[in-house]
Amino acid sequence: MTEQTPVTKTNAVKVPTLPDAQNVTEVKHYTDRLFSFKCTRPASLRFRSGEFVMIGLMGDPDPKTNRQKPLLRAYSIASPSWDEELEFYSIKVQDGPLTSKLQHIKSGDEIILRPKPVGTLVHDALLPGKRIWFFATGPGFAPFASLLRDPQTYEDYEEIIITHTCREVGELTYSRNIIASLKDDELLNEVIGDGFWKKIKYYPTTTRETSVKMGRITDLINSGAAYNDLGVAPLNPDNDRAMICGNLAFNLELKDMLEAAGLEEGANSKPAQYVVEKAFLD
Ligand code: A2P
């Protein structure tokens, strides 16, 4: 008979079973098309606000070999670079290979996260300016959720304009909540300066449900309505910098508008006046 060693209480650490596994710590659903979630952050992961990583789940087993392969997509990190956890904001596509499954994750589940951040929506890709425009549609708000909580945004610019165009009012909840939370964020008010959030002008619009401001941001800029509503001067390459993140048609249309206004596209290797990224969706 072997003597049993007494059982001592230990802090249970969940052993990851997936490659590059991280544990989901929180999930919030906003509408039947949008949700956000948080997960643990790999200790080695450093990223610049606005960058994305590949995340996902294991795919279904191959019918012939029964082997499973990771199913990964690029996701902008929505949390700021100083945060202990990582946050993501996602669309739910009912027949999407990844998001049809990802939308069912719960706290305690594991996701795969490849810790290699990249992206163009970073301050390093822009030349100094006075005002920055963040243009988003739907889940394209994610990188701006990160950048709006990054002290550098407020150090670099006198004014920050964030536009968010969605189909329905409920799809604006996430951006509304993030922006409202800045007022009461003691850490950011202390680090950046009390009332830093007053530099932000938030311009939410809807296209398919009645709200205070209706219309696509592209149309509202072209008509001049957005400038009037915000009380700001039109886009000009001397003062304005911009970042675009939304669906493909939106990205292309806005890119053309910025070029027509005289702004040039920048990159990490060659900073200029605006940068663009598409939301990588199913
Ligand atoms: P609309 O309802 O007129 O198509 P989606 O959910 O399909 O990605 O769209 C998100 C938002 O982006 C919607 O409000 C949609 O307006 C708007 N949108 C789509 N294409 C464009 C575009 N080319 N320019 C501006 N807004 C766009």
Side-chain angles (χ1 to χ4, degrees):
M1 223 171 93
T2 52
E3 198 181 296
Q4 294 214 323
T5 44
V7 178
T8 50
K9 198 167 171 263
T10 55
N11 283 335
V13 177
K14 206 169 168 192
V15 180
T17 51
L18 292 173
D20 288 329
Q22 296 300 323
N23 285 317
V24 175
T25 55
E26 185 185 291
V27 184
K28 283 186 187 167
H29 292 268
Y30 301 94
T31 68
D32 56 358
R33 295 177 70 229
L34 292 165
F35 73 113
S36 70
F37 58 94
K38 290 185 181 175
C39 70
T40 50
R41 176 174 177 167
S44 61
L45 177 66
R46 297 279 171 277
F47 69 94
R48 294 176 294 173
S49 299
E51 287 189 313
F52 64 81
V53 284
M54 303 300 290
I55 65 170
L57 299 169
M58 288 309 265
D60 291 332
D62 182 295
K64 283 190 195 139
T65 62
N66 213 29
R67 287 177 63 178
Q68 285 176 281
K69 277 203 240 150
L71 189 55
L72 302 174
R73 294 284 183 274
Y75 268 79
S76 292
I77 302 172
S79 44
S81 53
W82 47 262
D83 212 346
E84 279 174 17
E85 290 191 312
L86 295 174
E87 183 183 338
F88 298 95
Y89 183 46
S90 177
I91 194 140
K92 308 177 201 176
V93 180
Q94 295 318 326
D95 56 356
L98 177 62
T99 63
S100 60
K101 295 187 201 314
L102 195 64
Q103 62 183 286
H104 300 297
I105 54 166
K106 300 177 301 304
S107 251
D109 288 351
E110 288 176 346
I111 59 158
I112 305 168
L113 188 150
R114 300 272 190 254
K116 293 195 180 67
V118 279
T120 53
L121 297 188
V122 290
H123 285 305
D124 294 342
L126 294 176
L127 293 170
K130 288 201 170 138
R131 187 167 71 166
I132 188 156
W133 293 74
F134 293 148
F135 293 107
T137 65
F141 180 77
F144 305 131
S146 178
L147 285 152
L148 284 166
R149 292 180 278 181
D150 183 339
Q152 192 182 346
T153 301
Y154 305 90
E155 284 157 18
D156 286 0
Y157 298 98
E158 291 169 16
E159 195 167 37
I160 295 108
I161 301 174
I162 163 79
T163 82
H164 193 194
T165 299
C166 291
R167 297 183 188 184
E168 295 164 13
V169 177
E171 295 173 350
L172 293 167
T173 306
Y174 182 71
S175 59
R176 250 188 232 295
N177 289 352
I178 294 276
I179 290 161
S181 74
L182 297 176
K183 265 187 195 178
D184 305 318
D185 192 315
E186 286 180 19
L187 183 70
L188 284 181
N189 276 286
E190 195 183 313
V191 171
I192 308 172
D194 232 359
F196 76 93
W197 46 271
K198 290 180 189 156
K199 284 188 169 183
I200 301 173
K201 284 192 157 83
Y202 174 49
Y203 195 62
T205 75
T206 57
T207 50
R208 303 192 195 182
E209 188 185 1
T210 308
S211 70
V212 177
K213 194 73 210 176
M214 293 202 61
R216 292 177 164 196
I217 187 62
T218 41
D219 295 337
L220 292 163
I221 285 187
N222 284 332
S223 70
Y227 299 131
N228 279 339
D229 294 338
L230 289 162
V232 300
L235 282 157
N236 83 79
D238 295 333
N239 294 333
D240 287 305
R241 303 295 170 257
M243 295 193 185
I244 310 171
C245 190
N247 64 54
L248 191 57
F250 166 79
N251 289 352
L252 296 175
E253 203 174 320
L254 204 47
K255 187 173 148 72
D256 284 348
M257 286 169 57
L258 294 182
E259 295 276 343
L263 281 76
E264 281 176 25
E265 186 168 1
N268 275 289
S269 54
K270 192 175 175 292
Q273 281 107 5
Y274 78 91
V275 281
V276 61
E277 190 158 83
K278 60 182 171 137
F280 298 86
L281 312 173
D282 268 320

